[in-house]
Amino acid sequence: MACGCSGDANKSIKCTVTQCANHCGTADYCSLSSIQVGTHESNPTMVECTDCNSFELKK
């Protein structure tokens, strides 16, 4: 499904971060085939402790 981003919407990766270059502007999906999830905490215990390491700021 074309989505107005650099690729097709990956229906397996939902995303609402519209500032990301990989976000599908017309749908809340990512255009990447896979993403890398990481953390900025030594002992993550809440969703706020996790990060999408595949994030790229939209230019």
Side-chain angles (χ1 to χ4, degrees):
M1 166 183 181
C3 59
C5 51
S6 61
D8 290 336
N10 183 337
K11 294 285 185 129
S12 296
I13 306 174
K14 294 181 179 185
C15 179
T16 59
V17 183
T18 57
Q19 298 84 354
C20 183
N22 300 308
H23 182 267
C24 291
T26 59
D28 282 341
Y29 294 102
C30 182
S31 64
L32 298 175
S33 60
S34 66
I35 62 169
Q36 178 68 43
V37 177
T39 183
H40 55 272
E41 302 285 335
S42 59
N43 184 25
T45 58
M46 301 182 313
V47 67
E48 294 84 4
C49 300
T50 60
D51 306 295
C52 178
N53 292 339
S54 300
F55 173 83
E56 293 180 42
L57 183 60
K58 190 182 291 184
K59 295 179 183 176

